[in-house]
Amino acid sequence: MASYLLNWELFILATALVGLAYAGIQSFLLLRIPVSEEKPEKISLSIRKGANAFMRRQYTNVFIFAAILAVIIFFAFYASSGISEAWKLTVGFLVGATGSAVAGLIGMSISVRANVRTAIEAKKGLNPALKLAFRGGTVTGLMVASLALLGLVVFYMWFGNPTPMVGYIFGASLVSLFARVGGGIYTKGADVGADLVGKVEAGIPEDDPRNPAVIADNVGDNVGDCAGMGADLFETYVVTALSAMLLAYLIYSSPLGSKYLTQSGIILPLAIGGVAILATIVGSFFVKKGEKQRIMTALYKGLIVTVILSAIGFYFVDYYLMKGNLAIYFDAIIGIIIMGVIVYVTEYYTSERFSPVAKIAKSSVTGTGTNIITGLAYGLQAVFIPAIVIVAGIVISFFITYSSYGGDSQMGLYGIAIAAASMLSATGMIISIDSYGPITDNAGGIAEMSGFDEKTRKEVTDPLDAVGNTTKAVTKGYAIGSAALAALTLFAAFKTLISTLPQFQVIQLDDPIVVAGLLIGGSLPFFFTSYLMNAVGKAASAIVEEVRSQFKLKPKILTGEDEPDYGKAVDIVTKEALRQLMVPALIAVLTPIVVGFVLGPLAVGGLLMGVIISGFPLAIMMTVGGGAWDNAKKYIEQGNYGGKGSEAHKSAVVGDTVGDATKDTAGPAINPLVKVVNTISILFVGIIMYHYLIHI
C-alpha cells in the first residue's frame, strides 16, 4: 500500500510541476511580445510602479504580523504538544502565508505587463486582444493552482499526516484575508473617489487622463482583483483540499472511525487536483471566439472542456484509489454540477444579456433611489438558488455515500468533502477567466488615456471590459460557494476533534452556550463587513478631497493644459488602505480564541455554524448585487436610456459606487473570514479544550 500511494504522490507532484512549467512558458511567450508605443508603455509603467509600491508596503505589514503570530504559535504548541508539533505547525504557517503572498504577486506581476500589450493588440481586433488577455490570465490561473497543489503534496509527503498541515491553511487564509481587505479597500477607494469627482462632478469619462485619480484607479484593479483574487483562490484551493484530507485522516485514524476509509481516501483530494491541472492545460487551447460567438461563450468553451476532461479523469482516480465505488465518483460529479449552477446563476444576475441588469438600468431613469432599491432586490434574490443548490448537493452527496457504505454517517460526511474538493477541478480555469477581467479593464484605461481611436475602444476594449465584470463576479460566486462546502468540512473536522471528550460529543441547538456562539458567529460577518464598507468610504473621501483640490489649484487640468499629480492620489489611497488593514484581521483571528476561552468548545462550534450560515448569503448578495449595479451602468453607457451624461447614467454611477464597495471589498473578504475563523478554531482546539477542563 505504501509504495502504491507513493506512486500517486509522485503523480500529483508531477502534475503540479507540469502546471508550473506550462504557466512559465505562457509567461515567456507573453513577455516576449514587444511594446511598440511609447505613451501606452509610460502609462503602464506608472500603473506598475503604483501597484508594486502598494504591495511592498502591504506585505511588509502582513509579514510583521505573521512573524509575531508564528512566534505565538510555536510557543503555544511547544508548551502543549512538544517541539516537533510546534515546529511543523509554525513552518506550515509560514509556508502557507508565503505561498498565498507569492500567488497574489504573480497574478499582479503578469497583469501589469499584459495590460499594455492587450491595449496595443486591441488595434488589430477583438480576437487578438482576447487571446493575449486570456494568456495573461492563464499564467495566473495555473500558477495559483499548481503552487497550491505543490505545497500540499510536498507537505503531505514530508509529514505523512495532514494534521500538522493546519498551520499551512491558516497561513494561507491569513494572507488571503489581508490581500482581500487591503487590496479591496485600495481598489474601491480609488475607483469610487475617481468616479464621484470625475464622472459625476466634472462630467469627464472614465479613465480620462485629466482625472488625478485615474492611475490610482487602474492600480486598484491589479492589487484588488489580481493580487487579492490570486491569494484568495490559492487559499480556497488549499483549504478545500486539506479540509477533505483532514476529515479523512481523522475518520481513518480514530478508533471509532469508519472501517471503509483507507489511506487512499486521504490522498484522493490531491489526486483530483492533479487531474484538474492537466485538464485545465488542455482546456486553455479551446478559448477561441468564433465569428458570431459572444466573448463569454469563448471563455466558457475552455471551462466546459476542462470540466468534462476532469470528470473523465475523476472516474479513473476513483477506480484506483477507492476501488471503483461509484458513490464517491458521483460525489465528485455533484461538486462539478454545484460549481456549474453557481457560475450560471452569477452570470444571469450580472450580465447585461439578462433581465436583472436591464431592469436595474431601467430603474435608473426614475432616480438614484430606485436604482439602489432595485439593485438590492436582485442582490438579495441571487442568494436563493445557490443556497438551494448547495443544500441539495450536501444532502444528495451525504446520502449517496451513506447508503453505499452501509449506513456509515462518517462516510457520508466524507462524500460532502469530496463534492467540495471536486469543485477544485475548475480552479485553474476560473482564475484564468477572472484574471482576464482586470487585464482588459486596464487595457481599456490605457487605450483611453493614450488617445486610441474611438473604434478600438468601442468595438474591442469596452466589450472585453464589460465581460470582465461578469467573469470577476463569476469567480467570486465560485469562491464563495466552495468556501461554504469547505467550511462545512472544516466544521465536521472540528466536531470530530472535540468529540474525543464525552461532554463535547453533541452540539445541541437548545444549549444556551451553543446558541450564544451561534449568535456571535451569525453577527460576525455583518460587523466585519461594516468595518470594510466604512474603510472604503474613508479612502474614497480622501481621494475626492485630493482630486477636488487639484482641480481647484490647477484649473487648466480640465482643459488638458496642465498634467495632474497622479502619484499623490496613489500615495493617499495607499496610506488609507493600509491604515485600515489590521483591525479586520484581528477581528477574524481573535474572535474564535476569545469565544473558546470564555465560553468553551461548544460555543466555538456554534460560532462556526453561525459564520457559515450568515457569511454565505451575505457574500453572495454583496458580490452579485454589486456586479449587477456595475453592468447596469455599462448597459446605459452603451446608449440605452439616454446613454452617457443622462440623468439615468448619473443615477447608475451612484449605484455602481455602492456596488463597488460591496462586490470588490466587503463581499469577497467574507470568504477568507469564514475560513480563518474555522482554521484557527481547529488549530487551537486542543488548547481551548485543555483550558476548559482546567478552569470549568
Side-chain angles (χ1 to χ4, degrees), residues 597-685:
F597 277 92
V598 174
L599 297 176
L602 291 178
V604 177
L607 172 77
L608 300 186
M609 286 192 289
V611 167
I612 297 167
I613 290 168
S614 72
F616 168 73
L618 182 62
I620 291 286
M621 185 274 285
M622 286 185 153
T623 54
V624 174
W629 266 315
D630 194 344
N631 273 344
K633 176 201 68 176
K634 282 186 165 53
Y635 184 76
I636 292 173
E637 289 174 347
Q638 290 170 7
N640 300 294
Y641 303 114
K644 289 183 180 179
S646 65
E647 290 304 312
H649 182 240
K650 290 178 182 178
S651 297
V653 168
V654 176
D656 176 38
T657 59
V658 176
D660 278 338
T662 64
K663 74 181 173 68
D664 288 327
T665 306
I670 296 173
N671 181 14
L673 167 73
V674 169
K675 284 178 282 192
V676 164
V677 170
N678 275 270
T679 53
I680 202 164
S681 298
I682 291 175
L683 188 63
F684 285 93
V685 64

Side-chain angles (χ1 to χ4, degrees), residues 35-83:
V35 179
S36 55
E37 299 184 33
E38 185 178 343
K39 192 170 183 180
E41 171 64 4
K42 183 181 176 182
I43 295 166
S44 177
L45 184 60
S46 297
I47 295 170
R48 195 186 318 165
K49 284 180 178 177
N52 287 337
F54 174 80
M55 295 302 289
R56 200 162 41 243
R57 290 190 195 179
Q58 177 176 252
Y59 280 149
T60 298
N61 290 351
V62 169
F63 277 103
I64 290 171
F65 187 62
I68 294 169
L69 269 180
V71 172
I72 293 171
I73 290 169
F74 179 82
F75 283 107
F77 285 94
Y78 175 72
S80 63
S81 306
I83 191 168

Side-chain angles (χ1 to χ4, degrees), residues 154-513:
V154 167
F155 266 114
Y156 185 70
M157 292 174 73
W158 185 7
F159 295 157
N161 174 357
T163 306
M165 294 165 67
V166 174
Y168 184 61
I169 58 176
F170 177 47
S173 297
L174 185 71
V175 171
S176 168
L177 183 66
F178 273 111
R180 265 298 179 203
V181 170
I185 293 170
Y186 183 104
T187 183
K188 291 305 110 179
D191 193 0
V192 170
D195 280 355
L196 286 176
V197 183
K199 289 183 180 179
V200 177
E201 292 186 10
I204 57 179
E206 187 171 2
D207 297 320
D208 193 296
R210 293 171 292 176
N211 191 331
V214 69
I215 295 295
D217 184 10
N218 280 277
V219 168
D221 293 329
N222 296 288
V223 301
D225 289 323
C226 282
M229 181 54 75
D232 190 0
L233 267 296
F234 176 90
E235 172 250 7
T236 294
Y237 194 109
V238 168
V239 172
T240 305
L242 189 51
S243 60
M245 294 173 69
L246 182 62
L247 180 63
Y249 177 78
L250 292 173
I251 293 172
Y252 167 74
S253 60
S254 170
L256 301 175
S258 172
K259 63 182 179 181
Y260 298 105
L261 199 62
T262 66
Q263 283 182 291
S264 298
I266 302 171
I267 204 170
L268 178 61
L270 298 186
I272 286 173
V275 167
I277 283 177
L278 299 179
T280 301
I281 292 172
V282 177
S284 66
F285 289 101
F286 287 82
V287 178
K288 294 176 184 176
K289 184 181 176 299
E291 188 176 340
K292 295 183 179 180
Q293 279 184 335
R294 297 185 302 117
I295 298 169
M296 204 70 196
T297 302
L299 297 171
Y300 277 160
K301 281 193 299 185
L303 180 60
I304 290 167
V305 170
T306 299
V307 165
I308 290 172
L309 292 176
S310 294
I312 294 169
F314 293 169
Y315 176 81
F316 292 101
V317 168
D318 173 68
Y319 180 83
Y320 287 106
L321 283 174
M322 301 302 291
K323 299 179 181 177
N325 189 302
L326 289 178
I328 299 297
Y329 177 66
F330 287 142
D331 292 332
I333 299 302
I334 287 167
I336 290 174
I337 292 170
I338 292 171
M339 180 273 298
V341 174
I342 289 176
V343 165
Y344 177 78
V345 170
T346 305
E347 185 187 359
Y348 174 77
Y349 281 101
T350 57
S351 172
E352 61 196 46
R353 294 177 53 242
F354 299 105
S355 63
V357 166
K359 287 179 179 178
I360 295 170
K362 185 178 180 181
S363 72
S364 305
V365 174
T366 50
T368 302
T370 46
N371 171 281
I372 299 294
I373 291 168
T374 309
L376 279 173
Y378 280 112
L380 292 166
Q381 188 185 107
V383 172
F384 188 69
I385 294 176
I388 293 299
V389 169
I390 286 179
V391 167
I394 289 169
V395 172
I396 294 170
S397 59
F398 178 87
F399 280 105
I400 282 178
T401 320
Y402 173 84
S403 302
S404 180
Y405 285 96
D408 190 324
S409 60
Q410 291 181 317
M411 289 303 295
L413 289 173
Y414 179 69
I416 297 171
I418 292 303
S422 74
M423 291 180 73
L424 297 176
S425 63
T427 300
M429 183 58 68
I430 287 284
I431 302 172
S432 301
I433 292 172
D434 173 81
S435 296
Y436 148 96
I439 290 171
T440 55
D441 194 349
N442 267 200
I446 290 169
E448 176 79 26
M449 287 183 277
S450 300
F452 285 11
D453 62 274
E454 189 178 345
K455 184 180 178 183
T456 299
R457 181 70 194 246
K458 202 165 184 177
E459 295 182 9
V460 181
T461 59
D462 278 354
L464 289 172
D465 183 22
V467 169
N469 283 326
T470 302
T471 64
K472 287 184 281 188
V474 163
T475 306
K476 288 159 192 163
Y478 164 80
I480 293 160
S482 64
L485 284 176
L488 183 64
T489 306
L490 286 170
F491 174 74
F494 175 84
K495 179 67 178 62
T496 303
L497 285 168
I498 67 171
S499 64
T500 54
L501 295 178
Q503 59 266 54
F504 303 137
Q505 286 183 355
V506 179
I507 299 177
Q508 295 178 308
L509 292 179
D510 60 352
D511 184 336
I513 294 296

Side-chain angles (χ1 to χ4, degrees), residues 510-526:
D510 60 352
D511 184 336
I513 294 296
V514 175
V515 173
L518 190 66
L519 288 173
I520 294 170
S523 62
L524 184 62
F526 292 88

